[in-house]
Amino acid sequence: MNIEVNQFNGPCNCGREHRIEVKDIMISSRAAEALYESMKNGALSGYRRPMIICDENTKAAASGKLSKVWQLCAELVLSPVNLHADNHGVDRVHQAFGEMGAGADISGREGAGFLEKTGVSRADAGRQAGNAGGEPDLLLAVGSGTVHDLTRYIAHEKGIPFVSVPTAASVDGFVSTVAAMTWFGMKKTLPAVAPAYVYADTDIFSRAPWRLTASGVSDLLGKYVALADWRIVHEVTGEYICERICLMEEDAMEAVCQCMDGLKAGEADAYEKLMYALLLSGLAMQMIGNSRPASCAEHHVSHLWEMEVINDHVDALHGEKVSIGTVLNIGLYKRIAAAIRAGKCRVKPYGGLELELLKQTFGTKGLYDATMEENTPDPMLQVDPERLAEKLPRIAGIIEALPSEQEIVELLRRGDCVYDVKQIGLTEEIIPLTMRLSPYVRNRLSFNRIRKMLEY
Ligand SMILES: [Zn+2]
Ligand SMILES: [Zn+2]
């Protein structure tokens, strides 16, 4: 299937004009062939120095089906060991660019001291003829989330386009315009570019390890919390919202709920629906240029754990941490909604940033200043206590529309997804501090943050 991206372009009832940067999206078992055609004779044929960025695992998964594409490209094969979307990962890609830019025959040459290899395949030497010594003019991200975040960041930095070739239906960020990176220990959303094209080949991504697919399902189910947060904040502060974008996210969640059994049965059609849903969620972000529709309190939990300020390294995938964040926030929100309905929730004066706590936690990792910077201005200053009190019944209504904690856990279980801290090596003791601290990782208002003004 193709996603007709132009339908999302143009003026909208929300008062804004939405703009989609990705030109075309193809989800099909013919995608690898179509990409080759485009590079050989189509829209991508003008690029002389295309380079694939992948890691050893994603190369193994994709280079067979993409063999003809591979022959047209230089390759940067990153070692998957400790590969993250962070400043170290970017350094590794920079080094490879440096080697290509240095000219000479770089075929198969090993980077000094690096496991990674860069190389130009010789099979289509003609393409590179006369161009040796130039940096890549087109990047192909062949991988899942990390490879995409690194590629989109570098493509933005170098001012060149990139093509997305997802090797697993594992995250919704393939078409995102921003890169979620850990930058010197701090989780940041850095400016980047969306792919010009997405070629998602079903034969590749449907054969990814189940854990990756489950992570994609989890990332999508997190939208329950993200959308509730957006709607609540819109009520409380008047923050911009687009109902059409909310509906796109809801369609994506609906699609994933419907395809769950098919996924487990290994049906290609179900995998295509999941990939479609993930890309739709990514397009929703692209429409407003940030991750507001797809990421809030549930992602903050994931980001906090990735910063390792109250826990050791957690060996879990993005979606796995997000799904636990989803369960924890839904449970909390439901309890507050019940308190509102029982007349037991009242607004209290805002106490400001919890400076002591931030020092004792982020401070021990040298992240106090960066955290303060992230929280300036304090987003809570937009919350007017009177308006918040007035909106409590509306907030309860938004939360009541969400599935219950049990229902979410049940959905996640059905997909063999993670839903409990113990499954990723944490203990329940970490939950209260996680919920108190996670809103500070981003300057984005969530209901979990607003609750700092609530007594219940
Ligand atoms: Zn809109
Ligand atoms: Zn996500």
Side-chain angles (χ1 to χ4, degrees):
M1 64 178 98
N2 277 56
I3 300 183
E4 183 37 70
V5 292
N6 279 328
Q7 63 178 306
F8 305 118
N9 268 320
C12 176
N13 285 340
C14 70
R16 289 196 186 176
E17 176 138 356
H18 298 301
R19 219 173 67 87
I20 295 284
E21 287 176 37
V22 61
K23 295 187 181 78
D24 205 2
I25 293 177
M26 184 177 194
I27 307 167
S28 159
S29 55
R30 295 185 313 279
E33 185 61 32
L35 171 57
Y36 173 73
E37 269 309 310
S38 174
M39 292 182 75
K40 203 70 187 161
N41 306 309
L44 295 172
S45 61
Y47 294 96
R48 308 315 299 168
R49 295 181 302 280
M51 181 169 85
I52 289 171
I53 299 183
C54 58
D55 68 36
E56 286 161 12
N57 296 333
T58 61
K59 181 181 179 180
S63 57
K65 185 84 195 267
L66 287 167
S67 60
K68 288 199 287 185
V69 170
W70 227 274
Q71 287 174 359
L72 299 178
C73 300
E75 63 169 26
L76 167 58
V77 187
L78 297 158
S79 161
V81 181
N82 292 325
L83 180 66
H84 301 291
D86 60 10
N87 48 299
H88 303 294
V90 168
D91 284 347
R92 287 153 86 167
V93 182
H94 277 159
Q95 164 138 0
F97 263 73
E99 287 180 10
M100 285 191 81
D105 177 13
I106 56 169
S107 181
R109 198 171 82 185
E110 299 234 6
F114 280 78
L115 287 164
E116 290 82 14
K117 279 185 273 185
T118 54
V120 178
S121 3
R122 292 172 182 279
D124 199 308
R127 189 169 191 127
Q128 276 88 23
N131 291 295
E135 287 196 342
D137 56 359
L138 174 73
L139 298 176
L140 281 76
V142 179
S144 66
T146 303
V147 164
H148 273 76
D149 276 330
L150 290 173
T151 306
R152 89 177 74 251
Y153 178 81
I154 298 285
H156 174 72
E157 186 188 66
K158 300 283 181 184
I160 56 174
F162 90 96
V163 175
S164 159
V165 186
T167 53
S170 55
V171 288
D172 71 347
F174 297 121
V175 295
S176 160
T177 43
V178 291
M181 310 279 266
T182 306
W183 213 244
F184 298 96
M186 190 75 188
K187 246 347 243 194
K188 289 215 174 258
T189 302
L190 298 177
V193 285
Y197 298 91
V198 179
Y199 287 93
D201 195 288
T202 319
D203 291 337
I204 297 171
F205 69 78
S206 71
R207 288 175 194 158
W210 177 259
R211 192 177 165 198
L212 293 173
T213 306
S215 184
V217 169
S218 297
D219 202 12
L220 275 174
L221 293 178
K223 297 345 164 204
Y224 279 119
V225 173
L227 289 180
D229 275 336
W230 197 11
R231 290 195 162 116
I232 290 170
V233 172
H234 169 70
E235 289 290 337
V236 174
T237 71
E239 185 186 307
Y240 160 82
I241 198 166
C242 171
E243 271 308 317
R244 185 171 161 216
I245 293 176
C246 291
L247 287 177
M248 282 171 72
E249 291 286 4
E250 280 164 356
D251 283 351
M253 281 193 290
E254 178 73 28
V256 78
C257 292
Q258 282 177 7
C259 70
M260 203 86 93
D261 296 326
L263 288 173
K264 294 194 79 180
E267 291 165 14
D269 181 53
Y271 276 87
E272 287 178 0
K273 284 201 180 105
L274 173 60
M275 183 57 83
Y276 172 84
L278 290 166
L279 292 169
L280 199 62
S281 173
L283 289 175
M285 290 188 254
Q286 219 179 88
M287 282 167 78
I288 63 166
N290 63 55
S291 61
R292 183 37 133 168
S295 165
C296 205
E298 75 300 330
H299 273 71
H300 296 164
V301 167
S302 170
H303 297 331
L304 176 70
W305 290 339
E306 280 159 35
M307 290 166 71
E308 299 174 14
V309 288
I310 58 166
N311 53 278
D312 293 330
H313 179 69
V314 174
D315 187 19
L317 299 171
H318 172 73
E320 295 172 339
K321 289 170 275 187
V322 168
S323 60
I324 298 172
T326 303
V327 173
L328 292 177
N329 278 290
I330 285 191
L332 172 72
Y333 289 13
K334 291 283 182 183
R335 288 193 291 282
I336 300 175
I340 293 171
R341 294 301 190 200
K344 289 181 182 151
C345 179
R346 64 169 202 92
V347 176
K348 64 178 180 183
Y350 178 53
L353 300 174
E354 296 163 275
L355 298 179
E356 265 318 301
L357 177 70
L358 296 180
K359 265 183 213 145
Q360 289 158 14
T361 51
F362 293 99
T364 59
K365 283 277 173 132
L367 296 174
Y368 178 73
D369 290 342
T371 304
M372 290 304 289
E373 198 184 314
E374 180 67 33
N375 285 280
T376 307
D378 182 352
M380 284 295 283
L381 300 177
Q382 304 164 49
V383 181
D384 171 59
E386 266 175 47
R387 179 163 173 175
L388 175 58
E390 231 167 74
K391 294 288 185 180
L392 286 178
R394 283 283 302 148
I395 292 171
I398 292 167
I399 295 169
E400 281 158 358
L402 295 172
S404 69
E405 188 178 346
Q406 291 78 2
E407 282 166 330
I408 275 286
V409 168
E410 199 36 54
L411 261 173
L412 291 165
R413 268 182 202 269
R414 247 175 78 200
D416 288 335
C417 302
V418 164
Y419 53 87
D420 189 294
V421 284
K422 293 195 274 304
Q423 291 168 297
I424 60 165
L426 296 172
T427 58
E428 279 174 359
E429 283 84 75
I430 205 162
I431 295 172
L433 191 52
T434 295
M435 300 310 280
R436 192 170 158 201
L437 215 50
S438 56
Y440 291 114
V441 303
R442 284 289 160 84
N443 198 319
R444 173 172 290 161
L445 209 47
S446 64
F447 185 55
N448 187 22
R449 185 145 183 173
I450 290 175
R451 89 184 160 104
K452 292 184 190 291
M453 277 174 79
L454 296 177
E455 225 166 50
Y456 50 91

